[in-house]
Amino acid sequence: KKKTVSFSTMPNDRKINSTAACISFMLEGCELKKVRSNSRMYSRFFVLDADMRSVRWEPSKKDSEKAKIEIKSVKEVRVGKKTPILRSNGLSDQFPDECAFSIIYGDNYESLDLVASSADVVSAWVMGLRYLVSYGKHTPEAPGTGHPSLRTSWISSVFDLADLEKSGRIPVSRAVQLIKALNPGMKTSTIELKFKELQKASERPGAEVACDLFVEAYCELCTRPEIFFLLVQFSSNKEYLALKDLLMFLEVEQGMEGVTEEKCLEIVGKYEPSKEGREKGYLAIDGFTRYLLSADCSIFDPQHRKVCQDMAQPLSHYYISSAHSACLLEDNFWGRSDISGYISALGLGCRSIELVLWDGPEGEPVVYTSPSAASCVPFRAVVGLIDQHAFTASAYPLILCLVVRCSAPQQRLAAQCLRKTLGEKLYLEPPNPTASYLPSPEQLKGRILIKGKKLPPGCEDSEGEVSDEEEGWELARRLGQEDQEAPEGGGPRRVRLSRELSELVSLCQAVPFQDFESSRRGQRYWEMCSFSEVEAGRFANECPAELVSYNKRFLSRVYPSPMRIDASNMNPQDFWKCGCQMVAMNYQTPGLMMDLNAGWFRQNGACGYVLRPAIMREEVSYFSANAKDSLPGVPAQLLHLKVISGQNLPKPKGSGAKGEVVEPYVCAEIHGIPADCAEHRTKTALQSGDNPVFDESLEFQINLPELAVLRFVVLDDDYIGDEFIAQYTIPFECLQPGYRHVPLQSLAGEPLPHATLFVHVAITDRRGGGKGHRRGLAGRRGRRVREYTSTKATGIKAIDEVFRTATQPLREATDLRENVQNALVSFKELCGLTPAANMKQCILTVATWLLHSDSAPSVTLNLAEQYPPMEAQGPIPDLLRKVLTAYETMIQTSRTLIESADAVYGKLIQAQQAGMDFHKELHRIEAKEGLRGRKLQKALESFAWNITVLKGQADLLKHAKAEALDNLWQIHNAGQSCGIGRNGSASPEPSRLRAPLEPIPE
C-alpha cells in the first residue's frame, strides 16, 4: 500500500519529526503528480533508492535507468509554484501553492515539477531531499543510526536528573509532569495518551518508563514539524543552526539589520536548553522553537512598544483614545456604575473620559448613567481616582469631557472639587489668540484639560445660559429627570452654567456645529464640536473631504448613538478615516470594534495618542476617505501572509456539549479605508486537536498602510454557527516580517496562555506582484500599458502652467521606478523566489546552484565595482544565462535610477513649491477668475490633488533610490558571505549611502 505522511498531531497519524523520518518516508515512496511542459499532469509513484543516491518514478516510457534523478545532480529544491511551468495560467488554479515543489537538476538546470496531495507530503520530500543534497558527496548514515544527537543527549540528561533513584526508570506521572514543564501549553491528557501508546507498541506496560521511551515520547510530542522544516532549510548540517546559519536566518528571513555573531551567541545562550549547545554556539530544534515563541521574535515591532512618533504636532493631528461611559461595567440601561471602570480605562491608556454630572441626593454632584439612583458614584470619589491614576499608563494630556446635568450650586461644588483635587495638573491658561493650532501633546504632558461649555464673553454674572449638547438627554428621559422641554421652534436646548465651572474650560471649549463653511470662517482653534454617531456618519458618507479638512485644525468628538442601549460599539475606522480624533468607545463591551480600538492604540507605546497619516495633516492635500483604489502619492503595498499552524488553541466557551473535537479555521481581516477592507480565510483544519496545521497563503493590497489594521480571528467551524476561539489585532505599521508567532487573546482582549498562531509575513510594493503570466493569443496580443500619474487642470491659467512643467518629470519618475521594479521581479522569478524575497536571498540562491555541483560553471561577482557585474567564465547553461541577463538588466536600471533620481526629484519639488506659492492667494485669484459653486469646488480639489501628487511622487522616487542602494549593499554583503564575490574587502560605498536604520532593540 502506498503511504502518505501527515504532520497532524492525531495519535494514530504518522508524524515527521526528524530528517531520518523524512528519508524513511521517501524510501517507502508515495504517489505524486508529474507536470509536463505542456501543462498536463500524470500520476507517478516516486521512491528514493535504497542506496539513497537517486529518486526514481514509475510507470515510465523511459528506460528504468533514465526515469530517475541522481541526488548529486540536484542543484536546488523549490517549494511552491516557482518555475515557469508551474506558474503558467493553465495550472495556476488547479492546486494550491503549498502542494507544489520542483527539483532543479543537471548541468542544464532542468526542472522536475511535482504536485503532492498535501503540504505535509511536500514538506517531507523537500526536507529529505535538501538533507541528501547537502551530504551528496558523502554517504549519509542510514536513518536512526550513529551517535546520539545534541537533542537526544539533552533529553536523556533531563531524564537522569528526574531519575532520583538512579534505577533507569521514572514513574509515568513524573514523566508527564516533566514534559509538561518543558512544554507548558500541552495538555496532560495528550502526554498520558502518548505514553500509553508507546508502552503498548513496545509491549512495556507499567507505571514506569525507561529513558529511551521518554526520549521518544518527548520527540514525538514536542517537535513541531513546520519549525523543524525551517531549521533544515537554514542548517548547514540539518540537525541544528550554527552561528552563521542563525545569522543568515535573522538577516534573510527575519529582516533584521546589523546582526553580528555576538548577537547570535547571545540568542543561543538565552534559548538553547542543552549545555553542550550553549558552549558550542549551536541552536537545536528545541532552542529554535523557544526563540521563535519568545518576545524577542514577536510579530509586534518592539520599536512601537515605546513612544516612537513625533509628539510635537498640534493636538488636532492625533487620534486620541476616548471612552464614552467608562464607569459602566455592563450595558447602558441595566448597567451598574462602578468606580473600577475608570481605573481600567486609564490603565489601558485612555486619554479622554466622559463625566456626566447630576444633582446628588446629599447636595453634592454625582456621576451615573444607570437608571438606578442607588448605583451612582460621588463626583468627588471619581475625581480623586482620576487624580491618582491619570498618568500611570501615559504621561500625555488627559481630557475630561464634562456633560453638565446638575444645578448651578452643585456645579460650583464640582468646580471647587476639581481645583482642589487636581491642583497644578489642571490646565487653566487661556488660549493664545495669535496661534493657529492647539499646543502639542509634548507641551501638555502631565496636564488635565476640561472639555465643556463656556459662558459668553459679555456675561459678568455668577451664572448664565448656554446652549446644551444633545449628548446625555436620552438617558435623562429614561431617568425621568428631563425637567426641561425643548424650546419652541426647534432651537438648541438651553441650560444654566456657573462661572466657576466655565472658568475651568480653556483649550477644549464645546460649541455647537453649524456647517463646514461657518467653521472655516469663524471657528477658533480652541473650540471643538461633538457629533452623534449618526450625524458624523452622514458627513463621512456625503462630504468626507470637508470633514477631513475640518479635522486638520479642530478637534472633533464622536459619541455613540443613544439607541445603543446595549452599550454596543460603533466602528471607529468609519470616523478615523475622516480624521475624527476622539471616537468615544464603550470600553466595557468587548468585540470586534473594541479589538480595533485596543489594537490601534498599541502602536505608539500605548500612550493613548497616535499621529494621523501625513496625507490627513498637511494643509494642502487631496484625500478621499471613501477612495476605492490607491491614493495619489501614497505607495500601495502588498501583504503576503502565510498562516502556517496554531498552537494550544482553547475550546470555544460553552462548547462542552460538542465533545472534544475542535475544527478551527483562521480568518484574516484588514480594516482601514474602504479600498483596503478585505477578509480571507484558511481552510478548516479537520480532526486537528489543539495544534492544527493550515499552511495557507493569503494576500492583501493595502492602499493606505498608515490607517490599516490586521485582525486574526480563530473560529470553530460548526454547521450550527461558527464559534469564537481567539483573536489578535495589530496595526499594519507594527508588523514585523518573517516567521512570527501571534499571541492570541480572548474576546475580552486578555492574553490566552500559550495559545498562538505561527505565520510568515512579507510586505512588498504593489508592483512587486510581477508581470502577469499570460499565455496564448490574448497574451501575445495585449501588452500592459504603463499608467502615469498626472496633474489635473484647475481652470486657472497661471496655476495650470506651473503644474504643466511637472508632466515630464512625473513620467520620468514613474519610468525610473517601474523599470527597476520589473527588472527585480524578473530576476527573482528566474531565481525561483517570490516577489517578497530580498536581494540577499537571490544572490545566495544563485551561489547555492554553483556550489552544489562538481562541474559548476565559474560565475563571480566583481565586488570591486560599485555596481558589481556578475561575470561568467566559459560556457554556461541556458537558465543561468537568463539569470545573468536579468541580473545585468536589474543592475543597469538601478544605476540609472540612482544617478538620475536627484535631478528628477528636484524638478518635482520645484513644481510643488511653485504651486504652493499660489496657495495663500488662491481665494483672491478664484474671485478674480469668477469661479463659483461646482467650478470653484473642482478647482480647489484639482489644486490639492496636484500638490499631493507632486509631493507623493517625489517621496516615492526618494524611497526607490534608497531601496536601490540597499539592494547594492545586500549584493556586496551576500557576495562576500557566500564565496562567489571577488575583489571584495571592506564594506562597499553604497552601505554608507543607505538610509540610516536603527538597530532593533531587545
Side-chain angles (χ1 to χ4, degrees):
K1 184 186 175 184
K2 296 170 186 174
K3 296 180 181 177
T4 57
V5 65
S6 172
F7 284 163
S8 165
T9 53
M10 294 300 286
N12 53 358
D13 278 350
R14 181 168 178 185
K15 184 166 177 177
I16 298 289
N17 54 26
S18 67
T19 39
C22 293
I23 292 167
S24 294
F25 170 67
M26 291 163 66
L27 288 165
E28 291 169 6
C30 75
E31 194 172 277
L32 300 169
K33 286 180 177 168
K34 185 170 179 274
V35 185
R36 288 196 179 165
S37 54
N38 59 7
S39 295
R40 290 185 179 175
M41 294 195 287
Y42 301 89
S43 288
R44 298 288 183 262
F45 188 77
F46 282 77
V47 66
L48 176 66
D49 272 357
D51 63 4
M52 292 181 280
R53 295 180 185 278
S54 303
V55 173
R56 297 179 183 273
W57 60 91
E58 56 182 36
S60 173
K61 292 178 183 176
K62 293 180 182 178
D63 181 274
S64 62
E65 283 304 303
K66 290 184 178 176
K68 70 172 186 177
I69 291 176
E70 290 187 356
I71 297 295
K72 69 178 182 182
S73 72
V74 174
K75 307 285 190 231
E76 185 192 358
V77 185
R78 296 180 186 175
V79 185
K81 301 169 190 173
K82 304 281 177 58
T83 63
I85 291 171
L86 289 177
R87 277 196 294 252
S88 68
N89 276 351
L91 289 171
S92 57
D93 300 326
Q94 291 187 31
F95 49 86
D97 190 70
E98 53 270 12
C99 286
F101 71 105
S102 302
I103 302 171
I104 312 296
Y105 67 98
D107 292 339
N108 291 322
Y109 293 77
E110 297 169 69
S111 71
L112 173 64
D113 299 301
L114 302 167
V115 178
S117 56
S118 72
D120 308 339
V121 177
V122 171
S123 296
W125 274 96
V126 171
M127 206 186 297
L129 283 168
R130 284 177 174 167
Y131 177 88
L132 293 170
V133 168
S134 295
Y135 290 97
K137 292 171 186 171
H138 315 285
T139 306
E141 294 172 350
T145 66
H147 300 292
S149 68
L150 200 68
R151 186 188 203 195
T152 308
S153 303
W154 166 67
I155 302 166
S156 301
S157 70
V158 170
F159 179 90
D160 291 342
L161 286 172
D163 182 11
L164 304 174
E165 297 80 18
K166 303 302 172 193
S167 62
R169 304 175 72 80
I170 61 172
V172 171
S173 58
R174 196 184 300 166
V176 169
Q177 289 308 310
L178 202 52
I179 288 180
K180 193 166 174 58
L182 293 169
N183 200 332
M186 193 169 287
K187 286 182 181 173
T188 304
S189 57
T190 306
I191 306 170
E192 289 172 342
L193 185 62
K194 177 57 65 181
F195 276 120
K196 282 178 185 173
E197 279 176 32
L198 294 175
Q199 285 182 320
K200 187 179 178 182
S202 61
E203 299 180 351
R204 288 189 285 175
E208 294 186 322
V209 293
C211 184
D212 61 331
L213 199 131
F214 177 79
V215 170
E216 189 178 353
Y218 178 88
C219 289
E220 289 204 16
L221 288 166
C222 302
T223 304
R224 284 179 44 194
E226 69 275 26
I227 292 183
F228 184 70
F229 183 50
L230 189 58
L231 180 137
V232 168
Q233 274 183 270
F234 282 88
S235 168
S236 46
N237 82 330
K238 311 304 167 193
E239 290 297 336
Y240 54 76
L241 295 173
L243 292 180
K244 283 189 177 175
D245 302 331
L246 180 57
L247 190 145
M248 192 68 68
F249 170 75
L250 295 175
E251 280 193 343
V252 169
E253 275 300 341
Q254 305 299 85
M256 284 174 68
E257 292 276 342
V259 188
T260 61
E261 287 202 5
E262 288 72 26
K263 171 67 183 167
C264 295
L265 198 56
E266 191 183 312
I267 290 171
V268 172
K270 192 172 178 181
Y271 297 105
E272 174 54 39
S274 72
K275 187 181 176 185
E276 185 188 351
R278 291 194 298 273
E279 287 171 353
K280 293 182 176 178
Y282 296 157
L283 193 65
I285 180 67
D286 298 288
F288 190 42
T289 305
R290 287 181 183 188
Y291 171 64
L292 288 173
L293 279 164
S294 73
D296 288 345
C297 208
S298 168
I299 190 170
F300 192 93
D301 187 341
Q303 293 187 22
H304 288 270
R305 294 194 191 281
K306 57 182 186 294
V307 175
C308 56
Q309 295 177 346
D310 177 10
M311 300 304 285
Q313 299 281 329
L315 209 59
S316 59
H317 286 183
Y318 297 84
Y319 296 112
I320 303 170
S321 180
S322 306
H324 178 230
S325 304
C327 68
L328 283 184
L329 293 186
E330 294 171 20
D331 63 64
N332 276 343
F333 198 71
W334 303 109
R336 66 184 193 285
S337 296
D338 187 305
I339 210 159
S340 66
Y342 290 109
I343 301 174
S344 173
L346 290 168
L348 292 169
C350 178
R351 295 289 84 194
S352 169
I353 284 181
E354 176 196 46
L355 299 175
V356 186
L357 274 62
W358 303 88
D359 278 330
E362 296 175 9
E364 286 203 23
V366 294
V367 174
Y368 68 95
T369 46
S370 145
S372 164
S375 66
C376 64
V377 181
F379 180 68
R380 191 179 300 278
V382 174
V383 175
L385 193 83
I386 288 170
D387 179 53
Q388 192 179 343
H389 297 276
F391 301 107
T392 52
S394 170
Y396 292 100
L398 174 67
I399 301 170
L400 298 184
C401 302
L402 297 188
V403 181
V404 179
R405 296 281 173 264
C406 60
S407 60
Q410 294 209 10
Q411 289 176 32
R412 292 188 190 98
L413 289 174
Q416 288 165 18
C417 173
L418 286 165
R419 279 183 183 271
K420 184 180 176 184
T421 310
L422 301 179
E424 291 295 311
K425 292 175 188 166
L426 264 185
Y427 185 89
L428 301 174
E429 296 166 32
N432 179 1
T434 61
S436 301
Y437 286 92
L438 288 162
S440 69
E442 190 63 41
Q443 290 170 303
L444 296 170
K445 250 183 175 178
R447 306 304 291 272
I448 296 175
L449 312 181
I450 304 294
K451 178 242 171 193
K453 290 287 179 179
K454 206 163 173 64
L455 290 173
C459 178
E460 295 179 4
D461 299 333
S462 62
E463 59 184 72
E465 270 200 352
V466 292
S467 63
D468 191 21
E469 297 177 82
E470 280 300 304
E471 193 172 3
W473 279 114
E474 183 68 25
L475 191 71
R477 282 191 277 274
R478 294 187 206 147
L479 288 163
Q481 294 190 13
E482 188 184 17
D483 54 357
Q484 282 182 283
E485 293 298 320
E488 291 181 22
R493 206 184 300 265
R494 309 289 291 179
V495 293
R496 301 294 293 176
L497 180 67
S498 76
R499 176 166 296 283
E500 287 92 333
L501 206 56
S502 169
E503 286 173 349
L504 298 183
V505 177
S506 171
L507 293 179
C508 297
Q509 182 181 339
V511 295
F513 179 78
Q514 294 174 322
D515 56 66
F516 290 115
E517 185 56 31
S518 300
S519 294
R520 190 171 73 84
R521 293 183 185 279
Q523 188 171 334
R524 292 167 297 188
Y525 73 84
W526 61 84
E527 296 175 334
M528 65 175 286
C529 300
S530 289
F531 302 91
S532 75
E533 171 189 351
V534 175
E535 187 182 21
R538 181 164 54 81
F539 291 145
N541 288 323
E542 294 174 9
C543 42
E546 283 98 323
L547 188 52
V548 170
S549 182
Y550 173 87
N551 285 320
K552 287 178 183 178
R553 194 158 165 235
F554 308 114
L555 283 176
S556 64
R557 182 173 181 272
V558 181
Y559 57 89
S561 162
M563 301 307 291
R564 293 184 181 274
I565 59 171
D566 59 349
S568 59
N569 275 307
M570 51 193 166
N571 186 343
Q573 284 276 5
D574 291 343
F575 308 104
W576 288 340
K577 71 181 183 184
C578 295
C580 296
Q581 298 88 347
M582 300 159 72
V583 181
M585 304 293 286
N586 288 307
Y587 269 58
Q588 71 276 20
T589 308
L592 164 62
M593 305 313 171
M594 203 56 217
D595 291 344
L596 293 176
N597 192 75
W600 179 251
F601 283 104
R602 268 192 214 114
Q603 67 182 288
N604 191 25
C607 74
Y609 285 83
V610 168
L611 189 62
R612 294 186 310 171
I615 199 170
M616 297 168 79
R617 304 192 312 265
E618 287 158 355
E619 192 177 354
V620 180
S621 64
Y622 178 89
F623 173 68
S624 173
N626 296 325
K628 296 287 191 291
D629 199 359
S630 56
L631 302 164
V634 179
Q637 296 189 308
L638 278 181
L639 169 64
H640 309 264
L641 184 67
K642 186 172 187 182
V643 182
I644 302 167
S645 60
Q647 293 73 46
N648 307 310
L649 299 183
K651 287 172 66 179
K653 282 192 175 177
S655 63
K658 280 185 65 182
E660 287 296 315
V661 180
V662 175
E663 297 187 333
Y665 66 91
V666 179
C667 216
E669 307 164 349
I670 293 288
H671 298 266
I673 60 170
D676 291 344
C677 291
E679 177 183 307
H680 296 310
R681 58 158 287 180
T682 66
K683 60 182 179 292
T684 300
L686 302 170
Q687 303 287 317
S688 62
D690 306 329
N691 302 296
V693 172
F694 302 104
D695 237 338
E696 201 150 341
S697 299
L698 313 172
E699 190 172 281
F700 299 90
Q701 179 173 314
I702 315 291
N703 295 290
L704 185 56
E706 289 173 282
L707 207 59
V709 175
L710 170 63
R711 182 173 185 252
F712 296 92
V713 193
V714 186
L715 296 161
D716 184 16
D717 200 341
D718 188 26
Y719 65 92
I720 297 171
D722 297 348
E723 292 182 272
F724 176 90
I725 295 175
Q727 65 83 26
Y728 182 73
T729 308
I730 179 171
F732 181 81
E733 297 281 277
C734 297
L735 286 170
Q736 287 216 96
Y739 288 92
R740 307 286 173 182
H741 280 91
V742 178
L744 294 173
Q745 298 177 342
S746 68
L747 190 64
E750 295 157 352
L752 293 168
H754 314 297
T756 54
L757 287 177
F758 188 44
V759 300
H760 182 266
V761 176
I763 297 164
T764 60
D765 292 335
R766 183 176 61 165
R767 288 284 300 116
K771 299 169 287 185
H773 294 279
R774 305 171 73 178
R775 294 287 182 271
L777 192 62
R780 287 196 299 274
R781 198 181 293 152
R783 285 185 63 195
R784 191 179 70 81
V785 178
R786 181 166 291 177
E787 294 176 7
Y788 294 98
T789 307
S790 57
T791 55
K792 293 181 178 180
T794 61
I796 302 166
K797 189 178 178 183
I799 295 175
D800 287 341
E801 280 178 1
V802 166
F803 288 132
R804 210 171 287 127
T805 62
T807 305
Q808 189 57 32
L810 280 172
R811 289 182 70 90
E812 287 174 16
T814 303
D815 286 340
L816 288 170
R817 287 189 295 105
E818 295 229 352
N819 288 347
V820 171
Q821 197 64 44
N822 289 340
L824 274 170
V825 169
S826 296
F827 180 54
K828 288 175 184 178
E829 282 183 356
L830 285 165
C831 291
L833 296 169
T834 65
N838 58 37
M839 187 52 59
K840 193 162 188 177
Q841 285 170 293
C842 296
I843 301 301
L844 293 174
T845 299
V846 174
T848 305
W849 297 348
L850 300 171
L851 300 172
H852 274 170
S853 175
D854 294 326
S855 58
S858 178
V859 175
T860 54
L861 272 170
N862 185 356
L863 301 181
E865 297 188 28
Q866 184 182 354
Y867 302 95
M870 198 179 277
E871 300 161 344
Q873 281 78 41
I876 55 170
D878 188 46
L879 175 67
L880 208 51
R881 187 180 302 283
K882 287 179 181 175
V883 169
L884 263 62
T885 304
Y887 174 84
E888 182 61 26
T889 306
M890 185 265 299
I891 284 290
Q892 289 309 320
T893 53
S894 298
R895 181 173 190 161
T896 306
L897 167 66
I898 291 165
E899 293 175 353
S900 310
D902 289 349
V904 178
Y905 176 85
K907 290 176 188 174
L908 291 173
I909 291 298
Q910 188 179 350
Q912 188 242 358
Q913 288 171 346
M916 282 300 289
D917 290 342
F918 285 103
H919 178 241
K920 288 179 183 175
E921 299 292 310
L922 205 53
H923 286 287
R924 186 185 61 76
I925 297 169
E926 287 157 359
K928 186 182 173 184
E929 295 278 335
L931 295 176
R932 291 187 189 86
R934 182 76 193 119
K935 281 187 176 179
L936 173 61
Q937 186 62 34
K938 192 75 179 165
L940 288 171
E941 273 187 18
S942 296
F943 182 83
W945 166 277
N946 294 344
I947 294 294
T948 307
V949 161
L950 290 171
K951 184 180 183 306
Q953 292 296 314
D955 287 346
L956 285 176
L957 186 60
K958 193 176 179 181
H959 177 68
K961 180 185 174 182
E963 280 198 337
L965 288 167
D966 187 66
N967 282 336
L968 288 181
W969 177 83
Q970 288 189 45
I971 291 168
H972 277 86
N973 193 294
Q976 286 177 328
S977 64
C978 69
I980 66 166
R982 63 183 177 84
N983 302 331
S985 51
S987 292
E989 197 65 26
S991 67
R992 294 204 292 274
L993 299 171
R994 290 195 310 153
L997 291 161
E998 293 295 319
I1000 294 172
E1002 278 292 287

